[in-house]
């Protein structure tokens, strides 16, 4: 009997404390990192929304404060306020200029401009408080309702001002003082400026009936109409006498054709810098004079400013820049007119006055208008006492209110404060002051994402132009050109980078020797370490001039490189089978590389030849439309598509027959037939391209003006090259990893079933790795969407909307980088740039979401395999 075996003690497997501690630390760090990343993204989104949200705020008008007392004298011709809304002024048609305290309603000063009791026969006033008065004897007075600003320190301030809190104001001297700091007060006082009296060449028997003046870059331009209907234009030049230091005014007078009609016009309007004059009648009829050549003034056109025959003009106003005329009628219509340049115009200056913005169609009569001195904000008053705030470019009514307790009285005159923070409304027996918060009308959804009809444009357009050298500039903050530029940059970079990256990944994974796979993959991945600013520098200073100087050869390279690679592949089939198998590693890779310089030499030699034969020896001239026809452009653009169509037709209709016939052929015979078929299909594709090009050309179609047009040195073609190099390493790396992760058993099964390596790669490996390949493309797309420095340096940074591959563009990211440092904090421009960032965020989010949905579908299909 054998002794019983002693049972072996059971080994207890436990995890050491250090491993468990490390696992907890790792789990904690991973959780903190993941939650922190999500929180950071959410906080960025919240910050962007918080900055952008005020763009959606509405314009507000606070409850009016009625001033005690009533306006004296006749109806105000023009009213206004100082910069800080403390003092108001009113110029009346009887020649009286009065200043009022807007807090108490008390009259501060009255200036008599009647020249010894003689009231002006005609008067004119325009923005900025400037006015012109003409008297019966032909004398002209140019002046300005202005204010003098001074400051008081603590030791000079009276006790009544020291008791004020910061921001409060009180009467002081001839004006009003406001405490702006603990030890400082600002004093505003009326100050009327007048220039020397100018004698106009009119006689006492024919006094002036209407006068209009405007300031130009060289002085003043004045137009006047006498009671007999004689119209004249004068140019005033001011010079300082070097001996007496007095200001001397010289006037040059030019005669204009007399206005035609039974009655003389009731209003003259000088638009722009005085290069155009409108003579307006109450019934809406207007004559426009061209004043560009003062020695040859002529009537350019006649227009009807009121579409309703029974209506009468009740108010006229010019917006900032004096290019847009706002016409208010007794029928309640409110329309904005400005000159556009239509394709066929019979006027001498090539422009026509057109009604562009219809702010109000009908309603109570418009009695008063006031335009902002800093934007396209317009305030209108009606016969029934309603006050409205409009933003002209978008045709929007932003706010409305009834400023007076009695709704029966009309709004006789309006003034919009220089800072757009207050509105002054004159009624029959009271003056109302309303606090105004304009908000961001030029940052509304309609202004940002719909085409608007801007001044001097021939129609509604999407435009981004945030600044200009003139104060009369109309901000154009359309984001659509920036979104378009972003998508254009992404598209062209992916068109260049994705095919190269995916084909390189397939070649490395499926056809390259494993010994060379790692070093080549590492070399390609090193391309991602190149800074984008360096690539942008190279693109702007090296690649762009090179492409411009060698444009025909660069374009020829697009055809020569595939042609050389395909020709080399067909010639490779002439090698014996054993030799081809032995040379499938590095020798084949070197053979592929040898095609590159051969293709470059071929492009350098054929490019100028093609330019001379097809494009009249000047490719850029052909793009500009100065030489040649559209046929060669259609031919070269349709050649790839026609060749692909010929290949598909040959494979579809003759593929089965060819496989049966070639089953018994030798390798060399098959290679020779494939080479002949390649040449035949190339010629067939060229014939199809020529046929289609001839049909399109016969139909009057020209490719110029679409994807090809005028050549600009820094363009989308250069950006496609350079940005393609930035996305190739990312797409290549992820795609190669996805292809390499496909189980080897699938490859062996396919090869064992008789499939070729190419068939195995394209029909088994690529579909199985489809989700990974799609993810690689989406990651590359995200990299291209957010690229900044390359598009900033290599595109010309012009926000244009056209698919022309030879023109530039501007992207959202580049626009933010350029303009954010110069944008005033919390301005509409500043917040719109943050909206551009939010738009970029939204585009990326939507693209990634769609990509994830498509990737999941790929994964399901791959799992079924």
């Amino acid at each position: 009997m054998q002794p019983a075996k002693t049972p072996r003690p059971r080994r207890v497997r436990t995890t050491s404390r250090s491993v468990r501690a490390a696992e907890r630390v790792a789990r904690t760090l991973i959780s903190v990192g993941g939650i922190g990343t999500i929180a950071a993204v959410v906080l960025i989104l919240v910050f962007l929304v918080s900055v952008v949200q005020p763009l959606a705020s509405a314009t507000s008008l606070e409850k009016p404060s009625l001033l005690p007392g009533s306006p004296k004298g006749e109806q105000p011709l023009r009213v206004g306020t100082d910069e800080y809304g403390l003092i108001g002024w009113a110029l009346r048609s009887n020649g009286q200029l009065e200043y009022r305290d807007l807090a108490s309603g008390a009259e501060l000063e009255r200036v008599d401009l009647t020249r010894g009791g003689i009231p002006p026969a005609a008067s004119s006033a325009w923005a900025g408080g400037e006015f012109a008065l003409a008297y019966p004897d032909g004398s002209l007075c140019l002046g300005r309702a202005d204010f003098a600003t001074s400051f008081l320190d603590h030791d000079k301030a009276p006790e009544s001002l020291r008791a004020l809190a910061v921001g409060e104001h009180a009467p002081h001297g001839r004006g009003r003082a406001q405490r702006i700091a603990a030890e400082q007060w600002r004093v505003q006082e009326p100050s009327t400026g007048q220039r020397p009296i100018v004698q106009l060449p009119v006689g006492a028997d024919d006094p002036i009936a209407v006068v209009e003046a405007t300031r130009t870059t060289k002085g003043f331009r004045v137009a006047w109409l006498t009671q007999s209907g004689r119209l004249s234009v004068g140019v005033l030049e001011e010079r300082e006498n070097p001996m007496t230091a007095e200001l001397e005014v010289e006037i040059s007078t030019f005669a204009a054709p007399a206005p035609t009609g039974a009655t003389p016009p009731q209003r003259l309007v000088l638009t722009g810098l005085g290069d155009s004059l409108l003579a307006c009648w109450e019934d809406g009829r207007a004559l426009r004079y061209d004043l560009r050549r003062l020695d040859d003034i002529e009537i350019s056109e006649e227009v009807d400013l009121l579409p309703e025959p029974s209506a009468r003009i009740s108010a006229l106003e010019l917006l900032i820049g004096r290019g847009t005329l706002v016409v208010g009628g007794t029928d309640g219509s409110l329309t904005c007119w400005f000159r556009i340049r239509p394709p066929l115009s019979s006027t001498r200056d090539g422009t026509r006055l057109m009604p562009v913005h219809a702010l109000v169609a009908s309603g109570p009569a418009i009695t008063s208008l006031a335009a902002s001195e800093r934007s396209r904000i317009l305030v209108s008053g009606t016969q029934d006492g309603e006050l409205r705030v409009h933003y002209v470019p978008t045709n929007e009514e932003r706010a409305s209110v009834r400023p007076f307790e009695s709704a029966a009285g009309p709004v006789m005159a309006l003034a919009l404060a220089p800072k757009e923070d207050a509105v002054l409304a004159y009624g029959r027996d009271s003056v109302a002051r309303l606090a105004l918060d304009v908000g961001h009308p030029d940052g509304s959804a309609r202004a940002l994402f719909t085409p608007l009809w801007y001044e001097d444009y021939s129609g509604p357009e999407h435009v981004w132009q945030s600044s200009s050298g003139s104060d009369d500039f109309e901000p154009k903050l359309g984001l659509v050109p920036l979104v378009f530029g972003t998508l254009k940059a992404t598209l062209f970079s992916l068109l260049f980078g994705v095919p190269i990256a995916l084909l390189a990944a397939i070649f490395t994974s499926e056809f390259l020797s494993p010994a060379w796979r790692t070093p080549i993959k590492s070399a390609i991945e090193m391309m991602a370490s190149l800074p984008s600013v360096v690539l942008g520098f190279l693109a702007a200073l090296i690649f762009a001039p090179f492409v411009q100087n060698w444009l025909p050869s660069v374009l020829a390279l697009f055809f020569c490189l595939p042609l050389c690679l395909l020709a080399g592949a067909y010639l490779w089939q002439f090698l014996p089978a054993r030799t081809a198998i032995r040379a499938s590693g590095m020798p084949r890779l070197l053979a592929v590389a040898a095609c590159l310089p051969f293709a470059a030499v071929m492009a350098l030699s054929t490019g100028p030849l093609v330019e001379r034969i097809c494009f009249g020896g000047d490719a850029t001239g052909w793009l500009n439309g100065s030489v040649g026809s559209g046929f060669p452009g259609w031919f070269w653009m349709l050649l790839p598509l026609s060749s692909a169509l010929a290949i598909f037709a040959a494979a579809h209709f003759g593929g089965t027959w060819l496989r049966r016939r070639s089953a018994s052929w030798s390798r060399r015979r098959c290679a020779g037939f494939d080479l002949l078929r390649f040449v035949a299909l190339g010629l067939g594709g060229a014939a199809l391209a020529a046929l289609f090009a001839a049909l399109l050309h016969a139909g009057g179609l020209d490719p110029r003006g679409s994807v090809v047009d005028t050549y600009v040195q820094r363009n989308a073609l250069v950006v496609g090259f350079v940005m393609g190099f930035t996305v190739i390493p990312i797409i290549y790396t992820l795609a190669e990893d996805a292809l390499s992760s496909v189980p080897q058993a699938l490859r062996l099964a396919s090869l064992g079933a008789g499939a070729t390596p190419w068939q195995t790669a394209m029909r088994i490996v690529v579909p199985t790795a489809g989700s990974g390949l799609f993810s690689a493309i989406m990651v590359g797309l995200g990299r291209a969407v957010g690229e900044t420095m390359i598009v900033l340096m290599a595109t010309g940074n012009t926000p244009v909307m056209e698919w022309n591959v030879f023109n530039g563009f501007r992207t959202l990211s580049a626009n933010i980088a350029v303009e954010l440092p110069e944008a005033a904090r919390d301005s509409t421009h500043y917040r719109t740039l943050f909206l551009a960032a939010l738009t970029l965020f939204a585009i990326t989010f939507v693209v990634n979401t769609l990509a994830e949905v498509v990737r999941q579908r790929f994964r399901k299909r791959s799992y079924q395999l």
Side-chain angles (χ1 to χ4, degrees):
M1 184 174 180
Q2 295 181 352
K5 295 183 178 179
T6 304
R8 183 176 299 178
R10 185 176 181 182
R11 184 178 178 183
V12 179
R13 299 178 181 270
T14 59
T15 303
S16 64
R17 294 182 179 179
S18 61
V19 173
R20 284 184 290 181
E23 183 181 0
R24 288 195 207 97
V25 172
R27 187 184 299 113
T28 303
L29 291 176
I30 293 173
S31 301
V32 171
I35 296 174
T37 302
I38 296 174
V41 174
V42 172
L43 288 176
I44 291 174
L45 178 61
V46 170
F47 173 73
L48 292 177
V49 172
S50 66
V51 177
V52 171
Q53 187 272 335
L55 290 177
S57 60
T59 300
S60 64
L61 278 169
E62 294 185 4
K63 185 177 180 180
S65 58
L66 298 179
L67 306 183
S70 60
K72 298 179 181 179
E74 301 179 7
Q75 177 178 347
L77 178 71
R78 190 86 182 192
V79 297
T81 70
D82 70 311
E83 183 179 1
Y84 307 102
L86 302 178
I87 305 174
W89 59 268
L91 175 65
R92 305 186 183 278
S93 57
N94 61 0
Q96 300 293 318
L97 176 63
E98 65 178 29
Y99 293 89
R100 284 180 171 269
D101 187 338
L102 295 182
S104 63
E107 183 177 299
L108 299 176
E109 185 175 307
R110 178 177 291 271
V111 181
D112 186 3
L113 301 174
T114 60
R115 297 191 62 200
I118 303 176
S123 57
S124 173
W126 63 96
E130 294 185 300
F131 58 83
L133 301 175
Y135 298 90
D137 60 354
S139 58
L140 178 71
C141 173
L142 295 176
R144 179 185 177 93
D146 207 349
F147 301 88
T149 304
S150 59
F151 296 90
L152 295 176
D153 294 332
H154 187 273
D155 55 346
K156 296 182 180 180
E159 291 296 332
S160 60
L161 297 183
R162 295 181 183 180
L164 297 176
V166 176
E168 293 183 348
H169 47 83
H172 178 74
R174 297 188 307 111
R176 200 161 185 86
Q178 182 178 22
R179 190 166 192 167
I180 59 176
E183 302 292 332
Q184 194 174 49
W185 289 258
R186 180 181 57 236
V187 180
Q188 290 286 107
E189 294 181 333
S191 175
T192 304
Q194 297 186 49
R195 284 176 165 77
I197 300 296
V198 179
Q199 185 64 40
L200 301 179
V202 296
D205 57 339
D206 190 16
I208 296 175
V210 186
V211 67
E212 170 75 349
T214 186
R215 181 187 292 272
T216 68
T217 55
K218 297 181 179 180
F220 290 89
R221 182 163 290 189
V222 184
W224 62 89
L225 179 72
T226 64
Q227 291 184 357
S228 65
R230 187 163 57 91
L231 180 63
S232 302
V233 178
V235 176
L236 275 63
E237 295 185 3
E238 299 177 343
R239 298 177 182 177
E240 183 177 344
N241 191 316
M243 302 296 294
T244 62
E246 294 181 354
L247 189 64
E248 298 178 351
V249 180
E250 295 182 1
I251 183 169
S252 302
T253 306
F254 304 90
T260 58
T263 59
Q266 287 76 38
R267 178 74 184 269
L268 297 177
V269 180
L270 284 168
T271 62
L273 294 177
D275 59 345
S276 182
L277 173 66
L278 283 172
C280 306
W281 282 261
E282 286 186 354
D283 60 358
R285 178 171 172 259
L287 296 177
R288 185 172 69 87
Y289 291 82
D290 183 9
L291 304 185
R292 294 178 304 161
R293 295 168 54 187
L294 292 175
D295 56 346
D296 184 21
I297 300 175
E298 70 172 25
I299 299 176
S300 291
E301 59 177 324
E302 179 178 347
V303 296
D304 189 357
L305 300 177
L306 292 174
E308 183 64 33
S310 61
R312 294 293 181 266
I313 294 178
S314 55
L316 288 177
E317 183 64 29
L318 287 169
L319 296 184
I320 181 174
R322 302 182 65 85
T324 300
L325 176 66
V326 185
V327 181
T330 56
D331 59 346
S333 62
L334 189 61
T335 310
C336 299
W337 296 67
F338 58 71
R339 287 181 290 167
I340 66 173
R341 193 174 296 275
L344 298 175
S345 177
S346 58
T347 61
R348 185 172 71 174
D349 57 0
T351 64
R352 297 193 67 87
L353 193 65
M354 299 293 293
V356 177
H357 300 289
L359 302 180
V360 181
S362 61
I366 305 297
T367 55
S368 55
L369 295 171
S372 171
E373 298 179 18
R374 58 195 303 178
S375 70
R376 300 277 160 169
I377 290 291
L378 177 73
V379 183
S380 64
T382 64
Q383 182 68 33
D384 63 351
E386 186 178 13
L387 188 149
R388 304 168 183 166
V389 180
H390 309 268
Y391 183 62
V392 173
T394 58
N395 296 352
E396 292 178 315
E397 181 181 315
R398 302 283 299 179
S400 64
V401 71
R402 294 186 181 274
F404 306 114
E405 296 178 356
S406 174
V411 181
M412 299 174 61
L414 285 171
L416 186 59
K419 292 184 177 181
E420 294 183 346
D421 56 355
V423 176
L424 198 63
Y426 278 67
R428 286 179 178 173
D429 54 2
S430 60
V431 180
R433 184 184 184 277
L434 301 92
L436 173 65
D437 182 8
V438 175
H440 302 276
D442 47 350
S444 64
R446 185 173 182 179
L448 295 173
F449 296 105
T450 62
L452 299 183
W453 199 334
Y454 298 103
E455 191 175 287
D456 297 331
Y457 281 66
S458 58
E461 293 185 27
H462 292 286
V463 182
W464 175 274
Q465 187 182 0
S466 59
S467 61
S468 176
S470 171
D471 294 335
D472 304 334
F473 168 69
E474 179 180 9
K476 306 171 185 67
L477 301 179
L479 286 180
V480 175
L482 306 182
V483 175
F484 178 86
T486 301
L487 298 179
K488 182 179 178 181
T490 303
L491 175 64
F492 282 112
S493 61
L494 293 183
L495 284 178
F496 179 77
V498 169
I500 296 177
L502 292 184
L503 292 176
I506 294 173
F507 179 81
T508 305
S509 174
E510 305 302 318
F511 301 100
L512 190 61
S513 171
W516 289 97
R517 185 178 304 166
T518 300
I520 290 179
K521 183 179 180 182
S522 301
I524 296 177
E525 290 175 346
M526 287 181 63
M527 292 170 53
S529 63
L530 290 174
S532 59
V533 65
V534 175
L535 292 175
F537 177 81
L538 295 175
L541 299 183
I542 297 179
F543 297 153
F546 176 82
V547 172
Q548 183 181 25
N549 296 331
W550 298 90
L551 180 61
S553 299
V554 171
L555 296 179
L557 187 62
F558 283 98
F559 296 91
C560 295
L561 182 58
L563 183 64
C564 290
L565 291 175
L566 290 174
Y570 282 108
L571 292 176
W572 185 269
Q573 295 184 110
F574 283 96
L575 294 176
R578 291 186 177 182
T579 305
I581 294 174
R582 291 177 181 177
S584 61
M586 181 52 60
R588 183 167 58 184
L589 181 61
L590 295 176
V592 172
C595 293
L596 301 180
F598 186 79
V601 173
M602 184 178 176
L604 288 174
S605 58
T606 58
L609 179 63
V610 172
E611 180 185 28
R612 186 167 55 255
I613 295 175
C614 299
F615 303 108
D618 186 4
T620 56
W622 181 86
L623 292 172
N624 294 335
S626 58
V627 298
S629 65
F631 174 80
W634 284 123
F635 173 78
W636 290 106
M637 291 173 61
L638 294 173
L639 183 58
L641 181 62
S642 301
S643 300
L645 182 62
I647 294 172
F648 173 79
H652 181 73
F653 295 105
T656 304
W657 174 84
L658 181 61
R659 282 193 295 271
R660 292 176 181 175
R661 292 294 304 269
S662 62
S664 60
W665 291 357
S666 64
R667 176 182 176 84
R668 183 176 294 274
R669 185 179 179 183
C670 289
F673 185 84
D674 284 344
L675 182 59
L676 292 176
R677 186 178 62 167
F678 169 67
V679 175
L681 290 176
L683 296 176
L688 282 177
L691 176 61
F692 294 150
L695 293 176
L696 292 173
H697 180 63
L701 300 178
D702 197 315
R704 292 168 290 188
S706 55
V707 293
V708 294
D709 207 339
T710 303
Y711 188 87
V712 179
Q713 186 186 72
R714 300 183 181 184
N715 51 56
L717 181 65
V718 177
V719 173
F721 289 159
V722 182
M723 283 185 62
F725 282 107
T726 65
V727 301
I728 284 175
I730 300 173
I731 299 177
Y732 167 81
T733 300
L734 297 178
E736 204 278 337
D737 291 340
L739 293 170
S740 299
S741 63
V742 175
Q744 189 68 17
L746 293 178
R747 294 184 177 87
L748 296 178
S750 176
L751 295 173
T756 63
W758 175 253
Q759 292 173 332
T760 300
M762 300 307 298
R763 299 184 182 183
I764 302 298
V765 179
V766 170
T768 305
S771 61
L773 298 180
F774 186 78
S775 299
I777 296 175
M778 289 300 102
V779 172
L781 185 147
R783 172 70 174 84
V785 166
E787 177 56 46
T788 302
M789 295 309 300
I790 294 177
V791 295
L792 180 63
M793 302 174 70
T795 64
N797 215 24
T798 52
V800 295
M801 290 184 61
E802 57 181 47
W803 286 109
N804 179 16
V805 69
F806 301 118
N807 201 353
F809 50 85
R810 179 181 289 192
T811 64
L812 290 166
S813 57
N815 189 70
I816 295 170
V818 170
E819 299 192 5
L820 188 59
E822 305 297 330
R825 185 176 180 84
D826 295 334
S827 64
T828 303
H829 181 206
Y830 177 85
R831 297 186 187 278
T832 304
L833 292 176
F834 275 87
L835 179 60
L838 186 61
T839 304
L840 191 60
F841 186 98
I843 292 175
T844 306
F845 178 79
V846 171
V847 169
N848 288 340
T849 301
L850 295 177
E852 182 63 19
V853 172
V854 176
R855 191 182 71 85
Q856 291 296 338
R857 295 192 62 181
F858 271 120
R859 288 192 65 182
K860 290 181 180 180
R861 293 183 59 185
S862 300
Y863 180 76
Q864 294 173 357
L865 293 177

